Amino acid sequence: MRGAGDQGENRGRGEIQGPLDEQARLSALLEDSAEDLYERAPCGYLSTLPDGRIVRINTTLLDWLGYERGDLVGRRHFSDLLTVGGRLYHETHFAPLLRMQGEVKGIALELKAADGSRLPVMVTSTVKGGDDGQPMLIRTTVLDARDRRAYEIELLRARKEADLERDRLKDLNTTLQKTLLPPELVNVPGLEVSAHYHVASVDEVGGDFYDLFPLAAGTWGLFLGDVCGKGAAAAAVTSLARYTLRAAAVYDSDPAAVLANLNTVLNHEYNGTDPRFCTVVFGLLTPDEDRGGFHITLASGGHPPAILMRSDGTAVFLHTPGGQLIGVLADADIATTSVHLAPGDTLLLHTDGLTEAHTAATGGKRYGDDALLDFCHDLAPTTASAVIDAIRDLLDTFGAGVDDDTAVLAIHVLRSPSEERK
C-alpha cells in the first residue's frame, strides 16, 4: 500500500512528464523527411537541365497541373508547360536574364494543365553551377497565383466600372451645366452681347450663372451670379436662383426688389443646418432716347464690381459698397448704382473665379481685382466679343490655377453708322 508521499511523488512526476510528452509529439511532427518536405511543400518545385528539360518535379506541382511524373520527367521541357505567350516571353526575356544574372524572381506566367486549363503562377528560378562554374541545373519555385489573378481581374473590373461611372458623371455634369445656362443670349437692338463660361473641373457642376432677357417693351434684364459650393446641391440653388430672378423681374423689375425677392426665397428655403447663399448682380437696361446709348441700374448682393470700359480708353469699377450676400440674412442690404452707357462703352460682369485664380506671374498668388482692372484698361476701348475672347485666352494661360468656375458677361453699346465713320 502506497502512502501519501508516494502519491505526491507520482503527481510531481506527472507534472514534469506532461510537457515532455508534448515536446516529444512536436519533435515527431518536425521530423519530416526532406523528401516529404520537397514533395508536399505548399508550393511547386521544379528542376531542369540548362536546356530546360525537366529532371525533377514535386507532387504539389504535379497535382496542380494534373500530370503523372512519367509524363514530364525526362520527356518535356519547362517551356512546354507554358502558354504560347509565356513561351515567347520565356525565350526572349526569362531565359536570357536567367543566363546573364543566374536568378530571376517573381515573374508572372501561366502554365498549361493536362486538361487544357491555365494556371496563373509566380515563378522564381536560380541556376546551380558545377565546380567549374558552368550551369548544371536550374531550380524553379512555382507559387499558385490564382487568388492573386482573381483579385487583379476583380480590381481591373472595378476600375473599368469606376471609369465608366466617371464618364457618365462627366456627361451628366455637362448636361446639367448646360441646362443652368441660357441656350443663347437674346438680341438687344443697339447692343453687342457676349458671354463665356469656364469650367474649372469636369467632375463637378459649378454654381455660376448668367442671363439676359427681355422684360417690358424697351427694357431688358441681365444678371450674373455665383452660388456657394459645387455639385448637385449648388446646382439646385443655381437653378432656383436663375428662375427666381427671371420671375421676380417680371413681377417688379426694380433691381433692388428683384434681389430682395431672391434673398427671401433662398433664406426661407435654406434656413436650416445647411444654409445656401450666393452673390448676384442684377441689371435693368433701358435705351436712353435723349443722349443715345443705354441707361443701366445695377443692384449687387455681395458680388464683385462690374467694370466699365469707356470709349475714351478708360476703365473703372462700378462699385456697389455694402451689398450683402443673398440668402444669409432675412433682410439683406442691397446696394445699387446707375450709369449711362454711351455708344462705344463696354460693361463687363464676372464671377470671382477669375480674380481668385492663381497665376505663375504672381508666384502663385491670386490674380486680383486690380490686375483685372489694368487688363481691361489695356483693352479699352473694346467690344463685347473682343473682351470675352481676351478673358478666355487669359484664363487659358492660368491653366490649373483656375480652381473655381468662372462666368463672364459683356455688353457693348454699338455706335451709329455716322459715329463709326468719324
Side-chain angles (χ1 to χ4, degrees):
M1 182 175 178
R2 296 177 180 177
D6 293 333
Q7 293 176 6
E9 182 180 353
N10 288 340
R11 282 196 300 272
R13 289 173 182 172
E15 290 173 0
I16 297 174
Q17 189 66 29
L20 291 178
D21 288 345
E22 183 177 346
Q23 292 178 7
R25 288 194 298 270
L26 181 60
S27 297
L29 290 174
L30 296 176
E31 287 177 359
D32 290 340
S33 67
E35 182 67 20
D36 187 58
L37 287 174
Y38 176 86
E39 290 294 337
R40 299 295 178 182
C43 60
Y45 288 125
L46 182 74
S47 297
T48 67
L49 297 177
D51 65 359
R53 185 153 45 95
I54 299 171
V55 292
R56 191 174 185 188
I57 186 170
N58 73 342
T59 301
T60 300
L61 187 53
L62 287 171
D63 290 344
W64 287 352
L65 298 176
Y67 284 108
E68 296 294 334
R69 198 177 305 273
D71 296 335
L72 303 180
V73 174
R75 299 170 62 89
R76 305 286 290 276
H77 290 71
F78 174 62
S79 60
D80 295 332
L81 300 179
L82 300 174
T83 60
V84 175
R87 192 178 305 123
L88 179 63
Y89 181 82
H90 180 270
E91 294 173 357
T92 59
H93 293 78
F94 189 94
L97 283 175
L98 187 59
R99 286 194 296 269
M100 184 168 52
Q101 300 175 173
E103 183 178 42
V104 178
K105 294 182 178 181
I107 301 300
L109 294 172
E110 281 190 331
L111 302 183
K112 293 188 300 183
D115 61 2
S117 61
R118 296 185 176 191
L119 174 67
V121 295
M122 297 295 293
V123 173
T124 295
S125 294
T126 57
V127 176
K128 180 182 180 183
D131 294 337
D132 58 358
Q134 295 299 312
M136 298 292 295
L137 199 67
I138 298 174
R139 291 172 172 168
T140 298
T141 301
V142 181
L143 300 177
D144 186 348
R146 280 175 290 194
D147 290 343
R148 173 174 175 169
R149 179 64 57 84
Y151 169 76
E152 290 173 346
I153 292 174
E154 177 60 24
L155 185 63
L156 181 60
R157 183 195 64 78
R159 180 176 297 174
K160 287 181 178 178
E161 286 189 357
D163 289 342
L164 288 174
E165 185 61 29
R166 188 171 184 268
D167 290 341
R168 286 194 292 266
L169 181 59
K170 283 183 180 179
D171 292 340
L172 177 61
N173 285 343
T174 300
T175 302
L176 181 57
Q177 191 75 72
K178 289 179 179 178
T179 64
L180 299 177
L181 299 176
E184 185 176 349
L185 294 174
V186 299
N187 181 36
V188 179
L191 288 182
E192 180 209 2
V193 182
S194 184
H196 174 61
Y197 193 102
H198 181 90
V199 178
S201 172
V202 295
D203 295 329
E204 289 187 296
V205 180
D208 293 7
F209 58 94
Y210 61 85
D211 204 351
L212 172 65
F213 54 98
L215 290 169
T219 61
W220 289 265
L222 62 83
F223 58 77
L224 183 140
D226 185 2
V227 171
C228 174
K230 290 181 178 294
V237 180
T238 299
S239 179
L240 177 61
R242 181 169 180 262
Y243 291 106
T244 298
L245 287 169
R246 290 189 65 130
V250 172
Y251 174 73
D252 184 348
S253 61
D254 175 69
V258 172
L259 292 193
N261 272 305
L262 176 62
N263 183 77
T264 299
V265 170
L266 292 185
N267 186 257
H268 286 177
E269 186 71 20
Y270 298 98
N271 60 357
T273 58
D274 185 25
R276 295 284 171 172
F277 56 88
C278 63
T279 66
V280 187
V281 58
F282 183 92
L284 182 65
L285 273 167
T286 56
D288 192 323
E289 303 294 344
D290 297 330
R291 294 182 291 174
F294 284 77
H295 178 82
I296 185 169
T297 298
L298 293 174
S300 176
H303 199 79
I307 297 178
L308 175 59
M309 290 163 277
R310 291 291 193 184
S311 60
D312 62 4
T314 59
V316 295
F317 285 121
L318 296 182
H319 289 288
T320 49
Q324 295 175 329
L325 295 173
I326 302 299
V328 175
L329 303 175
D331 187 17
D333 181 42
I334 309 297
T336 62
T337 186
S338 296
V339 67
H340 175 249
L341 302 179
D345 290 348
T346 301
L347 182 68
L348 174 68
L349 308 178
H350 67 91
T351 57
D352 61 8
L354 173 58
T355 53
E356 293 188 359
H358 300 273
T359 71
T362 60
K365 295 181 181 179
R366 301 289 187 181
Y367 182 61
D369 294 331
D370 292 339
L372 178 59
L373 182 62
D374 292 340
F375 179 82
C376 291
H377 185 273
D378 291 339
L379 291 175
T382 186
T383 63
S385 57
V387 69
I388 294 301
D389 287 344
I391 289 177
R392 188 198 303 262
D393 293 339
L394 177 65
L395 288 167
D396 289 341
T397 66
F398 294 161
V402 184
D403 52 18
D404 192 10
D405 287 6
T406 300
V408 284
L409 172 64
I411 59 173
H412 170 71
V413 182
L414 298 173
R415 297 175 184 269
S416 66
S418 59
E419 289 173 320
E420 291 292 345
R421 288 193 294 268
K422 292 179 181 180

